[in-house]
Amino acid sequence: MVLAACTGFVLYGVLTGGEDDANPDRRTPTASVTYEITGTGTADISYQARSGSGSATVVKRATLPWRKTVDVPLGREPIVDIVLDDQGGEARCTLAIDGRHVQSATASGEFGRAACSGTLPPPDVTEG
C-alpha cells in the first residue's frame, strides 16, 4: 500500500514536475528551508519540500548527521520529523528558513521522536 502511494507521488512529480519550470509565470513562490539532523547512528526522517500536494518526502534509515536544503512553497508549513531506530541514542533536528534559525528539538532513547516546524508567509495574492 505504501509502495503504491510512493509510486503515485513519484509519477505525479515526473508527469507534472516540468510544468512550472516551462512557464516561469506559473511558478509557485518558495522559501529556502534547511533541515539538519545531528547525532550518530540512523533515523527515519520525513520532511516537507516543494510539492503541490503537500506530501512529505521520507528517508528511511538515514545515516546521521544529515542535512538537506529545499524550496518550500509559501503558505506551506516546513516540517521535519525524526524517529530514532531501536538502537536509540540522541539526535537533534534544526530548521532554518532563508538562513535564519527557527526551531530545534531533540529525540532520545529507543524509537525517540522529535519534530521541528516553522511558518512561511502566504503567497502574495497580487502576483500574476
Side-chain angles (χ1 to χ4, degrees):
M1 174 106 172
V2 172
L3 180 59
C6 289
T7 302
F9 288 128
V10 169
L11 286 175
Y12 175 80
V14 169
L15 295 175
T16 63
E19 288 178 11
D20 285 347
D21 294 337
N23 186 352
D25 295 335
R26 296 195 59 186
R27 286 191 183 145
T28 302
T30 61
S32 176
V33 175
T34 300
Y35 303 116
E36 186 169 12
I37 313 298
T38 57
T40 58
T42 62
D44 290 345
I45 302 169
S46 62
Y47 63 94
Q48 176 68 46
R50 184 181 188 102
S51 167
S53 66
S55 61
T57 299
V58 178
V59 180
K60 293 286 192 181
R61 299 193 53 80
T63 301
L64 303 181
W66 179 91
R67 180 184 175 109
K68 183 83 171 178
T69 300
V70 297
D71 291 328
V72 176
L74 297 183
R76 294 260 184 224
E77 179 180 12
I79 187 166
V80 62
D81 292 308
I82 55 174
V83 179
L84 299 175
D85 62 17
D86 59 350
Q87 300 299 307
E90 186 170 290
R92 181 174 192 83
C93 66
T94 59
L95 172 76
I97 299 173
D98 290 330
R100 291 186 337 264
H101 173 79
V102 174
Q103 187 179 43
S104 63
T106 302
S108 61
E110 186 176 325
F111 301 109
R113 297 174 180 263
C116 293
S117 63
T119 302
L120 296 179
D124 185 359
V125 294
T126 62
E127 289 184 6

